[in-house]
Amino acid sequence: MTQKIRKAVFPAAGLGTRFLPATKSSPKEMLPLVDKPLIQYSVEEAVASGIESILIITGRDKTAIENHFDISFELEQVLQERGKQEMFELVRAVSDLAKISYTRQKQALGLGHAILQAKDFVGDESFAVLLADDVIDAETPALKQLIDVYEKYDAPVLATMQVAGEAISRFGVIDAEEIEPNVSKIKNIVEKPKFDDAPSDMAVIGRYVFTPELFDAIERSETGAGGEYQVADAMRILLDEGKPFYAVRLDGVRHDAGDKLGFLIATVEFALKRTDLAPEFKAYLKSLNL
Ligand code: G1P
């Protein structure tokens, strides 16, 4: 029996430079996709995948995230006084979503360093990591797809998708051998390779299930791409030591909502799925003389 994955870590200390000036004083994780902040989508995905306890790694100017998942006493009181029961329930449900705690990453030294801040929270359990920028629209929650593979092979798993052309350089990229449809055993991983050096077209997307061995590997790793501690480098240490790692090609659509164009596309896609908005929004889009 594998250990149940109960804990999830959300690195959210990044500066959000791809979305300036909107992210100058408010976190990119709070950018609204239709009417929910980005991070709420992946928190809901984690909960739907069986996660019971969440640690969000924050940094300066990130208090809006904590406030969002907390009870808003004044707002709730006003909504109740005005008889807006449905809205009251909507805002209360956000604070009831999951058990969430927070820790600060004092310096932005990379994804590996961010995850390392979760060492005490995780203890000796296997755990999930979700990057909230990657909003994944999938019938089976993306993290659940990884957990199913973790349970089958009793080893860490990450999510991938195929990326064509030069864009591959924006991702971690794996070299892997397919062992069953959509599941591969990873041989190597490189963070943000040049197009010519990319070992394949299989890009890593922001969902992982790790064993606690990862922390020791991060501590042993050196700074890599961008002068930062990369989780991919820590993974390569474990791979070189013969530790197994698996990759799941996700069944679903991934949006890079931390990028301006990706965010716009995600907004349109999600709005078109909303029964309260879609008819008028679709009519508007059709009226555009593009
Ligand atoms: C991170 C990871 C990278 C992965 C990407 C997916 O990079 O380091 O391996 O491909 O997320 O979104 P970032 O986009 O934070 O630079």
Side-chain angles (χ1 to χ4, degrees), residues 116-155:
L116 192 55
Q117 312 307 309
K119 191 176 173 182
D120 289 345
F121 164 80
V122 164
D124 58 5
E125 295 183 32
S126 292
F127 64 104
V129 172
L130 296 92
L131 307 185
D133 280 10
D134 286 331
V135 176
I136 301 163
D137 189 10
E139 210 162 297
T140 304
L143 180 60
K144 176 78 172 59
Q145 297 180 36
L146 269 68
I147 291 176
D148 289 345
V149 172
Y150 164 80
E151 286 174 350
K152 183 164 178 188
Y153 292 96
D154 196 13

Side-chain angles (χ1 to χ4, degrees), residues 18 111 131 133-134 170-173 191-192 203-206 208 230-232 254:
R18 290 188 297 162
L111 183 56
L131 307 185
D133 280 10
D134 286 331
R170 297 206 289 264
F171 296 85
V173 184
E191 182 64 18
K192 304 198 170 71
V204 177
I205 50 180
Y208 311 80
Q230 298 293 350
V231 73
R254 173 256 187 191

